[in-house]
Amino acid sequence: MTALLGANSPLRRVAIFGGTHGNELSGVLLVKHWEEDAAEVQRTGLQVKPFIANPRAVQKGSRYIDCDLNRVFDPAHLGKETLEDLPYEVVRAQEIHLLFGPKGSKDAYDVILDLHNTTANMGCTLILESSKNDLLIQMFHYIKNSLAPLPCFVYLIDHPSLKYATTRSVAKHPVGVEVGPQPQGVLRADILDQMRRIVQHALDFIQCFNEGKEFPACSLEVYQVMEKIDYPRKENGEIAAVIHPRLQPSLLRGSRLEAAEPRGPRVSHVGWEDHSI
Amino acid sequence: MTALLGANSPLRRVAIFGGTHGNELSGVLLVKHWEEDAAEVQRTGLQVKPFIANPRAVQKGSRYIDCDLNRVFDPAHLGKETLEDLPYEVVRAQEIHLLFGPKGSKDAYDVILDLHNTTANMGCTLILESSKNDLLIQMFHYIKNSLAPLPCFVYLIDHPSLKYATTRSVAKHPVGVEVGPQPQGVLRADILDQMRRIVQHALDFIQCFNEGKEFPACSLEVYQVMEKIDYPRKENGEIAAVIHPRLQPSLLRGSRLEAAEPRGPRVSHVGWEDHSI
């Protein structure tokens, strides 16, 4: 995937979302920290807003209250009358849509960095929602180089029903940040540090971009879901197998070995570990 | 801790509880498997009952529905009138009390093996609720020897308010089995295998005991909570620190190094990781 820089106007408003899923704690802790002390995320000429996306789920320590906030930013949900008895996350999505959008309008925030954790061994992963977004391809390239030798993967979601419904999709340039493995409801310092560094590098890139720094054309290796492989199941639908212990820690590592393929490596996401984004 | 065998009558009824906490999946999967095919847990002269303790929490994939099932087996909860509007787990506790108890009576099950997981790095841990239970000290000694060279720790809970309220406390001989680290809601084959081996060895011990095998006096190294150390907190009570990455995987390992102390090694349990039992 190659990119020139496609956006010409500076990026002025950036939001950092933690707690889109209330039990993914790295982003929750970082956002709460930056709400109290923003020094680390301030950049000249940039308005940066740390924001807890689903405060009730954070309070409860669960992924969500009524339904997944990261799936309801589609027109059908955003357009629902508030007179109806709506799920909490749909009401919250409408609030976020007004605060950081309206989605698809010129008034929308330029960038949303949406911070997630996963129990899956995905390491540092950046999620790209469009292969046409030259600005984000450059940003991700910059972050990868800045993190090296720590690996950083790029996961391209181009399935319309998923990418257009995410919380971050309110912004002109939606950035998903997924760091693992970390159990839900638990904080690990190494995972926290990696996420923190990703956010720093993203903001540094935006500052450089706004200052007119030139970014030469670059290419980016991306991962895509090629196939979903379900578990063997019993007649009643219950799972009848677990991942073999030799495969458990290396599902993604195995994929990396195929990175020489011209179309990029394969990732077979399996369903039992919570890798939802 | 030393023990002779204190129980003279054979142990005839053993229950294996999975899903006392609905999101601790190793026990859930094993118990469901043994409910369908009990061959692995059958022993001559022994009635073995695999049992899902909190089926609604298992269905929901959460620790519990209304309150922690593993804290309500005290007389106050077990004696509540069912006419009241009781939490689900209190009703369930009363059912379990009738099915496997009554607690403290001669009709109670002989042994309950209660299967738990934790995100903490506790490895294979057996939980003992009384330092006077010679039978269980012998059983744990047998399991430790059978698992070797895989380490197996014994955690002695002798705090009255905790030990008398656990689900397994319905049995004459309550055995807690805690295996980690594993995220809640996730299955790892290595953890599953370790838990499965512990149950096998426990049943083997009971069979040997019933057959009159002699067990010489033995001693057992046990871990106890010496001190609970809270996190540094902000004024609003929120946690303001995480475990240092160099300490994260070795909190228990560090304790093991002190095993030469006559009173056994210290364990400082810290609060953020979910090590609840």
Side-chain angles (χ1 to χ4, degrees):
Chain A
M1 183 173 292
T2 61
L4 296 165
L5 264 186
N8 294 313
S9 54
L11 307 168
R12 293 296 177 214
R13 292 192 303 165
V14 176
I16 308 171
F17 282 6
T20 291
H21 295 136
N23 57 358
E24 300 177 8
L25 294 190
S26 306
V28 172
L29 194 92
L30 287 171
V31 163
K32 286 187 173 178
H33 171 65
W34 292 326
E35 281 178 334
E36 288 174 11
D37 181 357
E40 197 174 83
V41 292
Q42 282 169 345
R43 297 291 185 282
T44 307
L46 205 58
Q47 178 190 328
V48 179
K49 173 77 178 165
F51 184 78
I52 296 290
N54 194 335
R56 280 186 53 194
V58 168
Q59 180 69 28
K60 194 182 170 195
S62 62
R63 185 174 173 90
Y64 54 75
I65 302 294
D66 295 322
C67 63
D68 194 331
L69 181 65
N70 217 27
R71 302 288 183 275
V72 292
F73 284 77
D74 54 302
H77 285 101
L78 293 178
K80 277 194 195 297
E81 295 280 342
T82 49
L83 298 174
E84 299 172 49
D85 186 17
L86 296 180
Y88 167 69
E89 276 80 8
V90 174
V91 176
R92 185 65 179 161
Q94 295 182 351
E95 292 169 3
I96 291 170
H97 174 60
L98 291 178
L99 284 168
F100 297 94
K103 182 172 167 172
S105 78
K106 66 175 177 45
D107 292 331
Y109 262 57
D110 295 302
V111 177
I112 292 175
L113 306 169
D114 191 18
L115 308 183
H116 289 261
N117 292 120
T118 170
T119 60
N121 186 28
M122 291 175 71
C124 291
T125 299
L126 302 169
I127 303 171
L128 185 65
E129 301 202 352
S130 163
S131 60
K132 306 276 190 291
N133 191 325
D134 288 344
L135 178 83
L136 289 189
I137 292 172
Q138 287 284 1
M139 181 196 284
F140 289 9
H141 186 257
Y142 179 96
I143 295 171
K144 275 173 73 85
N145 285 346
S146 304
L147 284 174
L150 183 72
C152 178
F153 308 98
V154 177
Y155 173 27
L156 174 64
I157 301 179
D158 53 4
H159 193 286
S161 70
L162 183 55
K163 74 176 183 180
Y164 291 123
T166 60
T167 312
R168 58 189 172 265
S169 70
V170 168
K172 291 168 187 154
H173 303 286
V175 177
V177 177
E178 184 84 48
V179 190
Q182 177 175 273
Q184 316 300 20
V186 168
L187 270 175
R188 288 185 60 103
D190 51 352
I191 301 293
L192 189 82
D193 178 62
Q194 290 166 22
M195 183 178 279
R196 190 175 196 163
R197 287 164 63 192
I198 291 172
V199 172
Q200 301 285 343
H201 295 315
L203 296 174
D204 290 346
F205 169 83
I206 296 171
Q207 185 175 20
C208 290
F209 173 75
N210 286 347
E211 289 170 354
K213 178 172 160 51
E214 281 190 30
F215 295 91
C218 68
S219 77
L220 195 65
E221 179 181 283
V222 300
Y223 287 71
Q224 282 183 281
V225 174
M226 309 299 285
E227 189 183 0
K228 294 198 180 193
I229 303 173
D230 195 14
Y231 283 83
R233 288 183 186 269
K234 295 185 275 192
E235 282 182 9
N236 64 4
E238 287 182 357
I239 283 169
V242 295
I243 301 287
H244 193 281
R246 281 204 305 272
L247 289 176
Q248 178 87 46
S250 58
L251 284 174
L252 266 173
R253 211 173 300 148
S255 312
R256 260 180 255 164
L257 299 174
E258 302 172 43
E261 287 183 17
R263 295 189 49 207
R266 291 164 50 105
V267 180
S268 296
H269 271 180
V270 287
W272 187 262
E273 283 209 318
D274 177 11
H275 61 274
S276 303
I277 46 176
Chain B
M1 184 173 290
T2 59
L4 295 166
L5 264 185
N8 294 314
S9 54
L11 308 168
R12 291 294 176 215
R13 293 190 303 165
V14 176
I16 308 171
F17 282 6
T20 290
H21 295 136
N23 57 359
E24 300 177 9
L25 295 189
S26 306
V28 172
L29 195 91
L30 287 173
V31 163
K32 285 186 173 178
H33 172 65
W34 292 326
E35 281 178 334
E36 289 175 9
D37 181 357
E40 197 174 82
V41 291
Q42 282 169 344
R43 296 291 184 282
T44 307
L46 205 57
Q47 176 191 331
V48 179
K49 172 77 178 163
F51 184 77
I52 295 292
N54 194 335
R56 281 187 53 194
V58 169
Q59 181 68 28
K60 194 182 170 195
S62 63
R63 184 173 174 89
Y64 53 76
I65 302 295
D66 295 322
C67 63
D68 193 331
L69 180 65
N70 216 27
R71 302 287 184 276
V72 293
F73 285 76
D74 55 301
H77 285 100
L78 293 179
K80 277 193 196 297
E81 294 280 341
T82 50
L83 298 172
E84 300 171 49
D85 187 15
L86 296 180
Y88 167 69
E89 277 81 6
V90 174
V91 176
R92 186 65 178 158
Q94 294 181 350
E95 291 169 4
I96 291 170
H97 174 60
L98 290 179
L99 284 169
F100 297 94
K103 181 173 168 171
S105 77
K106 68 176 176 42
D107 292 332
Y109 263 58
D110 295 302
V111 177
I112 293 176
L113 305 169
D114 192 17
L115 308 183
H116 289 261
N117 293 119
T118 169
T119 60
N121 186 27
M122 291 174 72
C124 291
T125 299
L126 302 170
I127 302 172
L128 185 65
E129 302 202 351
S130 163
S131 60
K132 307 275 190 292
N133 192 325
D134 288 343
L135 179 82
L136 290 189
I137 292 172
Q138 286 284 0
M139 180 195 284
F140 289 9
H141 184 258
Y142 179 95
I143 294 172
K144 275 174 74 87
N145 284 346
S146 303
L147 284 173
L150 183 71
C152 178
F153 309 98
V154 177
Y155 174 27
L156 174 63
I157 301 178
D158 53 3
H159 193 285
S161 71
L162 185 54
K163 75 175 183 179
Y164 290 124
T166 59
T167 311
R168 58 188 172 266
S169 70
V170 167
K172 291 170 187 153
H173 303 285
V175 176
V177 177
E178 185 84 49
V179 190
Q182 176 175 273
Q184 316 301 21
V186 168
L187 270 175
R188 289 185 60 103
D190 50 353
I191 301 292
L192 188 81
D193 178 61
Q194 289 166 22
M195 184 178 278
R196 190 175 195 163
R197 288 165 62 191
I198 289 171
V199 172
Q200 301 286 341
H201 295 315
L203 296 173
D204 290 346
F205 169 84
I206 295 170
Q207 185 175 20
C208 290
F209 173 75
N210 287 347
E211 289 170 353
K213 178 174 158 52
E214 281 189 31
F215 295 90
C218 69
S219 77
L220 195 64
E221 180 181 282
V222 299
Y223 287 71
Q224 281 183 280
V225 174
M226 308 299 285
E227 189 183 358
K228 294 199 179 193
I229 303 172
D230 196 14
Y231 283 83
R233 288 182 186 269
K234 296 186 276 192
E235 283 181 8
N236 64 5
E238 286 183 355
I239 283 169
V242 293
I243 301 288
H244 193 281
R246 282 204 304 271
L247 289 177
Q248 178 87 48
S250 59
L251 284 174
L252 267 173
R253 212 172 300 149
S255 313
R256 261 181 255 162
L257 299 175
E258 303 171 43
E261 287 184 16
R263 294 189 53 207
R266 290 165 51 103
V267 180
S268 296
H269 271 178
V270 287
W272 188 260
E273 282 210 318
D274 177 11
H275 62 273
S276 303
I277 47 176

